[in-house]
Amino acid sequence: MQSPLADRLRPRTLAEVCGQQHLLGPGRVFRKAIESGRVPNMIFYGPSGVGKTTVARIIAENSGMRLHKLNGTSAGTGDIKAVMAEIGTFQSRNGLLLYLDEIQYLNKKQQQSLLECMEDGTVTLIASTTENPYFYIYNALLSRATVFEFKPLTPEDVRRGLENALHKLEELDGVRIEAQPEALDALAAACGGDMRKALGSLEFAVAGAAETDGAKRLTTEAVRQVTQRSSQRYDKSDDMHYDCISALQKSIRGSDPDAAVHYLARILEAGDLLSACRRLLVIAAEDVGLAYPQAIPIVKACVDSALQLGLPEARLPLADAAVLMATAPKSNSAHNAILAAEQDLRRGKTGPVPRQLQNKHFDGEDAAQKGQNYLYPHDYPGHWVKQQYLPDALAGVRYYEYGQNKNEQAAKAYWDKIKK
């Protein structure tokens, strides 16, 4: 059985790796440290198909140490113990290097089993993960390793890898391949920075390409047929999900309707309707808030419509909501007020509800002042009368500050006049 093209074309040296020049470029500390022959404990973090496994294998195979490879999706405690059993043996005289792919799938106990040997240097760990290591990897293990982030490849990086792959395919298959430049550009742009995905699509397209005059012709149309929706990097539980949700809110908060509909489209293209609805409801209250309070019921109506319609039509009312809020005035005054009140509660700044606000009409024998003495505001001019509402310990504290927008400033002017 023939192995996938991405595996057959895997780089053998750091110089052959496409992309990651912030780590592998000439003079970079990471590359100089690796080339010095001293391999520290490392964790590679980044999306799939960007070279984490490739770089780890190159380092491991050139380290001179006894190499063990495990995958977190299938490895158990017994597999880790089998590696530890070689400590001190003749085979591990130059040290043991454990390459652990997808480490995020190991549970806490399995990760802890690596700590002692990492601490004393009997085992060097190179681990890779597609999930944020600060969320998924045990803190004690993180403190013994250095995290390096691998970034999605640029279209230029992928294009270079595709050109190299075409030459290799010609050698391996013994057939000439003529690729339209636009076809390679489209393939490089459609893979979402994932070299493995790009090579897989290339292999598929070449296999199905028409052969004329002894050459296979790779066209843009053929590439489009094998890369439909392939550029989308999104999963409802991974970092890209949270990044897109965060970008949607920050784009609306920053009053950029174009970016707002871009991130909304990415979320909906992945079929994640519920997350989009929830986030838009949050934005209406948190970021538009009292500057345009009508946005809250409007966005709620848009969300209700979207949930009734379902995808793909749901994108229309949600786009209305996103653009409306991106172009609306903004205020986070109520958001700040509730946060400030919560902080006082956590610090213990509270107290009994003032007697005039309590829901009772009987005073005990120990009451210093008899009677509720509540002043009913509707009985006074302007429907307001001065009295204490906060507990005694917080009397005079101010949590809410009027926002600098037309709506809240109008309310401020009204109450300044009433309260004088």
Side-chain angles (χ1 to χ4, degrees):
M1 182 177 66
Q2 192 176 52
S3 61
L5 181 62
D7 192 57
R8 287 184 285 156
L9 301 184
R10 196 178 292 277
R12 305 299 178 196
T13 66
L14 294 178
E16 295 177 4
V17 177
C18 293
Q20 311 308 333
Q21 291 305 294
H22 65 293
L23 298 176
L24 305 178
R28 293 292 181 177
V29 172
F30 178 89
R31 182 164 181 170
K32 291 171 68 176
I34 298 306
E35 291 177 342
S36 71
R38 301 189 64 178
V39 183
N41 296 309
M42 294 180 287
I43 296 173
F44 296 164
Y45 159 52
S48 59
V50 298
K52 301 188 302 298
T53 300
T54 295
V55 171
R57 286 184 175 180
I58 293 171
I59 295 171
E61 290 169 358
N62 290 280
S63 66
M65 292 186 279
R66 170 73 167 172
L67 175 62
H68 284 274
K69 301 175 184 178
L70 295 177
N71 191 295
T73 59
S74 57
T77 305
D79 299 303
I80 298 174
K81 288 182 177 179
V83 175
M84 306 307 168
E86 287 197 14
I87 294 175
T89 64
F90 179 77
Q91 290 177 313
S92 64
R93 62 190 181 279
N94 293 326
L96 278 172
L97 192 150
L98 173 60
Y99 170 53
L100 185 52
D101 200 8
E102 304 291 356
I103 189 176
Q104 74 270 17
Y105 290 107
L106 294 186
N107 60 38
K108 184 176 180 179
K109 183 176 180 181
Q110 290 170 328
Q111 292 184 33
Q112 285 177 318
S113 66
L114 299 166
L115 295 178
E116 184 177 351
C117 58
M118 290 174 63
E119 188 73 49
D120 60 23
T122 53
V123 173
T124 300
L125 175 70
I126 299 180
S128 64
T129 174
T130 56
E131 305 292 349
N132 191 325
Y134 299 101
F135 295 158
Y136 291 91
I137 297 179
Y138 185 48
N139 283 336
L141 193 150
L142 281 175
S143 71
R144 292 164 172 79
T146 304
V147 177
F148 294 97
E149 182 179 3
F150 281 59
K151 302 180 183 297
L153 302 180
T154 66
E156 292 75 19
D157 293 331
V158 178
R159 172 66 188 258
R160 182 161 65 93
L162 292 173
E163 291 172 348
N164 295 337
L166 281 177
H167 295 311
K168 292 286 186 181
L169 273 176
E170 288 180 324
E171 295 174 6
L172 294 170
D173 297 342
V175 62
R176 186 160 50 91
I177 303 172
E178 296 180 355
Q180 293 179 348
E182 297 83 2
L184 292 183
D185 290 338
L187 185 53
C191 68
D194 185 334
M195 182 65 79
R196 186 186 299 112
K197 182 183 292 185
L199 293 175
S201 298
L202 176 67
E203 186 175 25
F204 200 105
V206 169
E211 187 171 342
T212 56
D213 300 329
K216 287 194 171 185
R217 303 188 184 281
L218 185 62
T219 64
T220 305
E221 178 58 30
V223 166
R224 288 190 179 133
Q225 291 182 34
V226 299
T227 58
Q228 296 177 25
R229 296 186 63 177
S230 66
S231 64
Q232 182 76 350
R233 276 190 185 272
Y234 191 96
D235 184 277
K236 293 182 183 179
S237 63
D238 71 3
D239 290 340
M240 187 56 68
H241 159 79
Y242 297 106
D243 287 346
C244 284
I245 293 295
S246 174
L248 171 64
Q249 180 160 8
K250 289 171 181 172
S251 298
I252 293 176
R253 181 185 297 154
S255 302
D256 188 330
D258 302 303
V261 294
H262 168 78
Y263 292 113
L264 177 63
R266 287 173 66 165
I267 296 165
L268 296 179
E269 186 71 9
D272 194 1
L273 175 59
L274 190 57
S275 291
C277 290
R278 287 174 172 171
R279 185 53 50 177
L280 290 172
L281 288 170
V282 169
I283 296 167
E286 180 179 345
D287 295 304
V288 177
L290 299 177
Y292 183 48
Q294 298 93 324
I296 296 175
I298 292 173
V299 172
K300 178 62 166 62
C302 289
V303 166
D304 289 344
S305 297
L307 294 174
Q308 284 186 314
L309 291 169
L311 290 170
E313 288 84 358
R315 70 189 190 282
L316 300 176
L318 295 187
D320 288 339
V323 172
L324 172 75
M325 292 194 291
T327 56
K330 307 295 189 298
S331 174
N332 66 341
S333 57
H335 165 268
N336 291 344
I338 190 65
L339 289 184
E342 289 174 343
Q343 288 175 357
D344 270 355
L345 288 177
R346 295 188 186 107
R347 288 196 293 260
K349 293 183 68 175
T350 182
V353 175
R355 176 66 185 89
Q356 64 269 25
L357 304 184
Q358 293 174 7
N359 186 32
K360 64 181 180 180
H361 303 279
F362 172 75
D363 294 303
E365 292 298 327
D366 60 340
Q369 183 177 356
K370 304 294 184 182
Q372 188 171 12
N373 300 312
Y374 172 61
L375 303 179
Y376 188 58
H378 295 303
D379 289 339
Y380 294 84
H383 300 269
W384 178 83
V385 63
K386 185 175 182 179
Q387 65 183 322
Q388 181 179 324
Y389 291 93
L390 281 167
D392 290 342
L394 293 169
V397 170
R398 176 172 291 179
Y399 296 122
Y400 171 68
E401 298 289 344
Y402 289 97
Q404 296 300 316
N405 57 79
K406 183 178 179 180
N407 192 69
E408 289 182 88
Q409 285 301 305
K412 181 179 185 299
Y414 173 81
W415 286 112
D416 283 348
K417 181 179 179 181
I418 294 294
K419 297 179 181 181
K420 298 179 182 179

